[in-house]
Short mmCIF file of all heavy atoms in Angstrom, two decimals:
data_model
loop_
_atom_site.label_atom_id
_atom_site.label_comp_id
_atom_site.label_asym_id
_atom_site.label_seq_id
_atom_site.Cartn_x
_atom_site.Cartn_y
_atom_site.Cartn_z
N MET A 1 -10.81 -6.97 3.15
CA MET A 1 -11.78 -6.36 2.24
C MET A 1 -12.46 -7.38 1.33
O MET A 1 -13.24 -7.01 0.46
CB MET A 1 -11.10 -5.26 1.42
CG MET A 1 -10.61 -4.12 2.31
SD MET A 1 -9.97 -2.72 1.39
CE MET A 1 -11.50 -2.02 0.75
N ASN A 2 -12.16 -8.66 1.55
CA ASN A 2 -12.75 -9.76 0.78
C ASN A 2 -12.50 -9.64 -0.73
O ASN A 2 -13.35 -9.98 -1.54
CB ASN A 2 -14.26 -9.87 1.04
CG ASN A 2 -14.54 -10.28 2.45
OD1 ASN A 2 -13.93 -11.20 2.97
ND2 ASN A 2 -15.46 -9.58 3.10
N TYR A 3 -11.32 -9.15 -1.07
CA TYR A 3 -10.95 -9.05 -2.48
C TYR A 3 -10.44 -10.39 -2.99
O TYR A 3 -9.93 -11.21 -2.23
CB TYR A 3 -9.86 -8.01 -2.69
CG TYR A 3 -10.35 -6.57 -2.65
CD1 TYR A 3 -9.45 -5.54 -2.43
CD2 TYR A 3 -11.67 -6.23 -2.86
CE1 TYR A 3 -9.87 -4.22 -2.40
CE2 TYR A 3 -12.10 -4.93 -2.84
CZ TYR A 3 -11.19 -3.93 -2.61
OH TYR A 3 -11.60 -2.62 -2.60
N LYS A 4 -10.56 -10.58 -4.27
CA LYS A 4 -10.02 -11.75 -4.96
C LYS A 4 -9.14 -11.25 -6.10
O LYS A 4 -9.58 -10.48 -6.94
CB LYS A 4 -11.15 -12.62 -5.54
CG LYS A 4 -12.15 -13.10 -4.51
CD LYS A 4 -11.57 -14.15 -3.61
CE LYS A 4 -12.63 -14.71 -2.69
NZ LYS A 4 -12.35 -14.54 -1.30
N GLN A 5 -7.90 -11.66 -6.10
CA GLN A 5 -6.94 -11.33 -7.15
C GLN A 5 -6.79 -9.83 -7.38
O GLN A 5 -6.73 -9.35 -8.52
CB GLN A 5 -7.32 -12.04 -8.45
CG GLN A 5 -7.32 -13.54 -8.30
CD GLN A 5 -7.68 -14.26 -9.58
OE1 GLN A 5 -8.01 -13.66 -10.59
NE2 GLN A 5 -7.62 -15.58 -9.52
N ARG A 6 -6.72 -9.08 -6.29
CA ARG A 6 -6.58 -7.63 -6.40
C ARG A 6 -5.38 -7.10 -5.61
O ARG A 6 -5.35 -5.95 -5.21
CB ARG A 6 -7.85 -6.92 -5.96
CG ARG A 6 -9.03 -7.23 -6.84
CD ARG A 6 -10.09 -6.17 -6.74
NE ARG A 6 -11.25 -6.53 -7.51
CZ ARG A 6 -11.53 -6.00 -8.69
NH1 ARG A 6 -10.73 -5.13 -9.24
NH2 ARG A 6 -12.61 -6.35 -9.33
N LEU A 7 -4.39 -7.97 -5.38
CA LEU A 7 -3.22 -7.53 -4.63
C LEU A 7 -2.49 -6.36 -5.30
O LEU A 7 -2.08 -5.43 -4.61
CB LEU A 7 -2.26 -8.69 -4.38
CG LEU A 7 -2.69 -9.57 -3.20
CD1 LEU A 7 -1.95 -10.89 -3.22
CD2 LEU A 7 -2.47 -8.85 -1.90
N PRO A 8 -2.34 -6.34 -6.63
CA PRO A 8 -1.70 -5.17 -7.24
C PRO A 8 -2.45 -3.87 -6.94
O PRO A 8 -1.85 -2.83 -6.71
CB PRO A 8 -1.69 -5.49 -8.74
CG PRO A 8 -1.67 -6.99 -8.78
CD PRO A 8 -2.55 -7.41 -7.62
N LEU A 9 -3.77 -3.95 -6.92
CA LEU A 9 -4.58 -2.77 -6.61
C LEU A 9 -4.29 -2.28 -5.19
O LEU A 9 -4.10 -1.08 -4.96
CB LEU A 9 -6.07 -3.10 -6.75
CG LEU A 9 -7.01 -2.03 -6.21
CD1 LEU A 9 -7.39 -1.08 -7.32
CD2 LEU A 9 -8.23 -2.66 -5.59
N VAL A 10 -4.26 -3.20 -4.24
CA VAL A 10 -4.00 -2.85 -2.84
C VAL A 10 -2.62 -2.22 -2.72
O VAL A 10 -2.45 -1.17 -2.08
CB VAL A 10 -4.15 -4.08 -1.92
CG1 VAL A 10 -3.70 -3.74 -0.50
CG2 VAL A 10 -5.59 -4.58 -1.91
N CYS A 11 -1.63 -2.83 -3.33
CA CYS A 11 -0.26 -2.31 -3.25
C CYS A 11 -0.14 -0.94 -3.90
O CYS A 11 0.53 -0.05 -3.36
CB CYS A 11 0.72 -3.29 -3.90
SG CYS A 11 0.88 -4.84 -2.97
N THR A 12 -0.79 -0.76 -5.02
CA THR A 12 -0.75 0.53 -5.70
C THR A 12 -1.42 1.61 -4.85
O THR A 12 -0.92 2.73 -4.74
CB THR A 12 -1.42 0.44 -7.08
OG1 THR A 12 -0.70 -0.53 -7.87
CG2 THR A 12 -1.42 1.77 -7.79
N ALA A 13 -2.55 1.27 -4.25
CA ALA A 13 -3.26 2.24 -3.41
C ALA A 13 -2.42 2.65 -2.20
O ALA A 13 -2.36 3.84 -1.86
CB ALA A 13 -4.60 1.65 -2.95
N LEU A 14 -1.77 1.68 -1.57
CA LEU A 14 -0.95 1.99 -0.40
C LEU A 14 0.34 2.71 -0.76
O LEU A 14 0.87 3.49 0.03
CB LEU A 14 -0.62 0.72 0.37
CG LEU A 14 -1.79 0.06 1.08
CD1 LEU A 14 -1.37 -1.28 1.68
CD2 LEU A 14 -2.35 0.97 2.16
N GLY A 15 0.83 2.48 -1.96
CA GLY A 15 2.09 3.08 -2.38
C GLY A 15 1.93 4.46 -2.99
O GLY A 15 2.93 5.12 -3.30
N ALA A 16 0.71 4.92 -3.13
CA ALA A 16 0.47 6.20 -3.79
C ALA A 16 0.67 7.39 -2.85
O ALA A 16 0.34 7.32 -1.66
CB ALA A 16 -0.96 6.22 -4.35
N ASN A 17 1.18 8.47 -3.41
CA ASN A 17 1.30 9.70 -2.64
C ASN A 17 -0.06 10.17 -2.15
O ASN A 17 -0.16 10.79 -1.10
CB ASN A 17 1.96 10.80 -3.48
CG ASN A 17 3.42 10.52 -3.73
OD1 ASN A 17 4.07 9.79 -2.99
ND2 ASN A 17 3.94 11.11 -4.80
N LYS A 18 -1.09 9.86 -2.88
CA LYS A 18 -2.45 10.23 -2.51
C LYS A 18 -2.82 9.65 -1.14
O LYS A 18 -3.47 10.32 -0.33
CB LYS A 18 -3.44 9.74 -3.58
CG LYS A 18 -4.86 10.18 -3.37
CD LYS A 18 -5.73 9.75 -4.56
CE LYS A 18 -7.16 10.21 -4.39
NZ LYS A 18 -7.98 9.86 -5.55
N PHE A 19 -2.39 8.43 -0.86
CA PHE A 19 -2.67 7.83 0.45
C PHE A 19 -1.94 8.59 1.55
O PHE A 19 -2.52 8.88 2.60
CB PHE A 19 -2.28 6.35 0.47
CG PHE A 19 -2.48 5.71 1.82
CD1 PHE A 19 -3.75 5.57 2.35
CD2 PHE A 19 -1.41 5.26 2.56
CE1 PHE A 19 -3.96 5.00 3.60
CE2 PHE A 19 -1.60 4.68 3.81
CZ PHE A 19 -2.88 4.55 4.32
N GLU A 20 -0.68 8.92 1.31
CA GLU A 20 0.09 9.66 2.31
C GLU A 20 -0.59 10.99 2.65
O GLU A 20 -0.71 11.34 3.82
CB GLU A 20 1.51 9.93 1.80
CG GLU A 20 2.34 8.68 1.67
CD GLU A 20 3.75 8.98 1.22
OE1 GLU A 20 4.41 9.84 1.85
OE2 GLU A 20 4.19 8.36 0.23
N GLU A 21 -1.05 11.69 1.63
CA GLU A 21 -1.69 12.99 1.84
C GLU A 21 -3.01 12.86 2.59
O GLU A 21 -3.26 13.60 3.54
CB GLU A 21 -1.91 13.67 0.49
CG GLU A 21 -0.63 14.07 -0.21
CD GLU A 21 -0.84 14.50 -1.65
OE1 GLU A 21 -2.01 14.67 -2.07
OE2 GLU A 21 0.17 14.65 -2.36
N MET A 22 -3.85 11.93 2.16
CA MET A 22 -5.18 11.84 2.78
C MET A 22 -5.15 11.23 4.17
O MET A 22 -5.99 11.54 5.00
CB MET A 22 -6.17 11.10 1.88
CG MET A 22 -5.87 9.64 1.59
SD MET A 22 -6.53 8.42 2.73
CE MET A 22 -8.25 8.68 2.58
N ALA A 23 -4.14 10.40 4.46
CA ALA A 23 -4.07 9.74 5.77
C ALA A 23 -3.15 10.47 6.75
O ALA A 23 -3.12 10.14 7.93
CB ALA A 23 -3.60 8.30 5.60
N GLY A 24 -2.40 11.44 6.26
CA GLY A 24 -1.48 12.16 7.13
C GLY A 24 -0.32 11.30 7.59
O GLY A 24 0.02 11.28 8.77
N VAL A 25 0.26 10.57 6.64
CA VAL A 25 1.39 9.69 6.94
C VAL A 25 2.50 9.95 5.92
O VAL A 25 2.28 10.55 4.87
CB VAL A 25 0.99 8.20 6.91
CG1 VAL A 25 -0.03 7.89 7.99
CG2 VAL A 25 0.46 7.78 5.54
N LYS A 26 3.69 9.45 6.24
CA LYS A 26 4.83 9.51 5.33
C LYS A 26 5.40 8.11 5.21
O LYS A 26 5.76 7.49 6.21
CB LYS A 26 5.89 10.47 5.89
CG LYS A 26 7.13 10.57 5.04
CD LYS A 26 6.84 11.24 3.73
CE LYS A 26 8.13 11.39 2.92
NZ LYS A 26 7.87 11.68 1.55
N ARG A 27 5.46 7.59 3.99
CA ARG A 27 6.00 6.25 3.75
C ARG A 27 7.50 6.28 4.04
O ARG A 27 8.23 7.11 3.52
CB ARG A 27 5.72 5.82 2.32
CG ARG A 27 6.12 4.39 2.01
CD ARG A 27 5.73 3.96 0.60
NE ARG A 27 6.19 4.88 -0.43
CZ ARG A 27 5.38 5.69 -1.13
NH1 ARG A 27 4.09 5.69 -0.91
NH2 ARG A 27 5.87 6.50 -2.04
N VAL A 28 7.95 5.34 4.89
CA VAL A 28 9.37 5.28 5.23
C VAL A 28 10.05 4.03 4.68
O VAL A 28 11.27 4.00 4.56
CB VAL A 28 9.62 5.39 6.75
CG1 VAL A 28 9.20 6.77 7.24
CG2 VAL A 28 8.91 4.31 7.52
N ASN A 29 9.26 3.01 4.32
CA ASN A 29 9.85 1.77 3.82
C ASN A 29 8.78 0.90 3.17
O ASN A 29 7.62 0.94 3.55
CB ASN A 29 10.51 1.00 4.97
CG ASN A 29 11.47 -0.06 4.48
OD1 ASN A 29 11.94 -0.03 3.36
ND2 ASN A 29 11.77 -1.01 5.35
N VAL A 30 9.23 0.12 2.19
CA VAL A 30 8.39 -0.91 1.58
C VAL A 30 9.28 -2.14 1.43
O VAL A 30 10.37 -2.05 0.87
CB VAL A 30 7.85 -0.49 0.20
CG1 VAL A 30 6.99 -1.60 -0.40
CG2 VAL A 30 7.07 0.80 0.28
N THR A 31 8.82 -3.26 1.96
CA THR A 31 9.57 -4.51 1.84
C THR A 31 8.68 -5.58 1.24
O THR A 31 7.46 -5.47 1.26
CB THR A 31 10.11 -4.99 3.20
OG1 THR A 31 9.00 -5.21 4.09
CG2 THR A 31 11.05 -3.97 3.82
N GLY A 32 9.32 -6.61 0.73
CA GLY A 32 8.57 -7.73 0.16
C GLY A 32 8.34 -7.56 -1.33
O GLY A 32 8.82 -6.60 -1.94
N PRO A 33 7.57 -8.47 -1.90
CA PRO A 33 7.30 -8.43 -3.33
C PRO A 33 6.49 -7.19 -3.71
O PRO A 33 5.63 -6.75 -2.95
CB PRO A 33 6.51 -9.71 -3.59
CG PRO A 33 5.95 -10.09 -2.28
CD PRO A 33 6.89 -9.58 -1.24
N THR A 34 6.77 -6.66 -4.86
CA THR A 34 6.16 -5.41 -5.31
C THR A 34 4.64 -5.44 -5.25
O THR A 34 4.03 -4.49 -4.77
CB THR A 34 6.61 -5.08 -6.75
OG1 THR A 34 8.03 -5.06 -6.79
CG2 THR A 34 6.07 -3.75 -7.19
N ASN A 35 4.03 -6.48 -5.73
CA ASN A 35 2.56 -6.55 -5.76
C ASN A 35 2.05 -7.82 -5.10
O ASN A 35 1.04 -8.37 -5.51
CB ASN A 35 2.06 -6.48 -7.20
CG ASN A 35 2.20 -5.10 -7.79
OD1 ASN A 35 1.89 -4.11 -7.14
ND2 ASN A 35 2.68 -5.02 -9.00
N GLY A 36 2.72 -8.26 -4.05
CA GLY A 36 2.34 -9.51 -3.41
C GLY A 36 1.72 -9.33 -2.04
O GLY A 36 1.74 -8.25 -1.46
N ALA A 37 1.21 -10.42 -1.52
CA ALA A 37 0.56 -10.41 -0.21
C ALA A 37 1.51 -9.99 0.90
O ALA A 37 1.09 -9.38 1.88
CB ALA A 37 -0.03 -11.79 0.09
N ASN A 38 2.79 -10.31 0.75
CA ASN A 38 3.75 -10.00 1.80
C ASN A 38 4.46 -8.66 1.61
O ASN A 38 5.48 -8.41 2.25
CB ASN A 38 4.77 -11.13 1.94
CG ASN A 38 4.12 -12.36 2.55
OD1 ASN A 38 3.31 -12.26 3.46
ND2 ASN A 38 4.45 -13.52 2.03
N ALA A 39 3.91 -7.82 0.77
CA ALA A 39 4.43 -6.46 0.66
C ALA A 39 4.01 -5.72 1.94
O ALA A 39 2.84 -5.72 2.31
CB ALA A 39 3.84 -5.75 -0.57
N ILE A 40 4.99 -5.16 2.61
CA ILE A 40 4.73 -4.46 3.86
C ILE A 40 5.10 -2.99 3.69
O ILE A 40 6.26 -2.66 3.38
CB ILE A 40 5.50 -5.09 5.03
CG1 ILE A 40 5.03 -6.54 5.20
CG2 ILE A 40 5.29 -4.28 6.32
CD1 ILE A 40 5.80 -7.34 6.21
N PHE A 41 4.13 -2.13 3.90
CA PHE A 41 4.31 -0.69 3.79
C PHE A 41 4.42 -0.12 5.20
O PHE A 41 3.52 -0.31 6.03
CB PHE A 41 3.10 -0.07 3.07
CG PHE A 41 2.97 -0.52 1.64
CD1 PHE A 41 2.40 -1.75 1.34
CD2 PHE A 41 3.45 0.26 0.61
CE1 PHE A 41 2.27 -2.17 0.03
CE2 PHE A 41 3.33 -0.15 -0.71
CZ PHE A 41 2.74 -1.37 -1.01
N THR A 42 5.51 0.58 5.46
CA THR A 42 5.73 1.17 6.78
C THR A 42 5.61 2.68 6.64
O THR A 42 6.21 3.28 5.74
CB THR A 42 7.10 0.78 7.34
OG1 THR A 42 7.17 -0.66 7.39
CG2 THR A 42 7.31 1.34 8.73
N PHE A 43 4.83 3.27 7.53
CA PHE A 43 4.56 4.70 7.50
C PHE A 43 4.85 5.34 8.84
O PHE A 43 4.67 4.73 9.89
CB PHE A 43 3.07 4.96 7.18
CG PHE A 43 2.61 4.42 5.87
CD1 PHE A 43 2.02 3.17 5.79
CD2 PHE A 43 2.77 5.16 4.70
CE1 PHE A 43 1.59 2.67 4.57
CE2 PHE A 43 2.34 4.65 3.49
CZ PHE A 43 1.75 3.40 3.42
N ARG A 44 5.28 6.60 8.78
CA ARG A 44 5.39 7.42 9.98
C ARG A 44 4.13 8.27 10.03
O ARG A 44 3.74 8.91 9.05
CB ARG A 44 6.63 8.32 9.90
CG ARG A 44 6.85 9.13 11.18
CD ARG A 44 8.10 9.99 11.13
NE ARG A 44 7.83 11.16 10.27
CZ ARG A 44 8.45 11.45 9.15
NH1 ARG A 44 9.41 10.69 8.70
NH2 ARG A 44 8.13 12.51 8.46
#
């Protein structure tokens, strides 16, 4: 998305229940640093 210094924003957006609802997914795991580039969100 060509963002600069917005990793916390990306992590917050992916970690929100709002994303699960609108995308039709269920978060099953989050690994890595809380607001870092290597935060990996796994969804069913």
Side-chain angles (χ1 to χ4, degrees):
M1 296 186 73
N2 294 313
Y3 283 161
K4 303 288 186 239
Q5 299 180 356
R6 296 202 184 257
L7 280 165
L9 170 92
V10 172
C11 292
T12 300
L14 291 174
N17 290 337
K18 185 175 182 177
F19 177 65
E20 293 182 52
E21 294 169 9
M22 64 90 61
V25 297
K26 178 68 177 164
R27 186 176 51 252
V28 295
N29 197 19
V30 180
T31 59
T34 305
N35 288 316
N38 289 320
I40 299 174
F41 295 80
T42 302
F43 300 94
R44 185 178 75 242

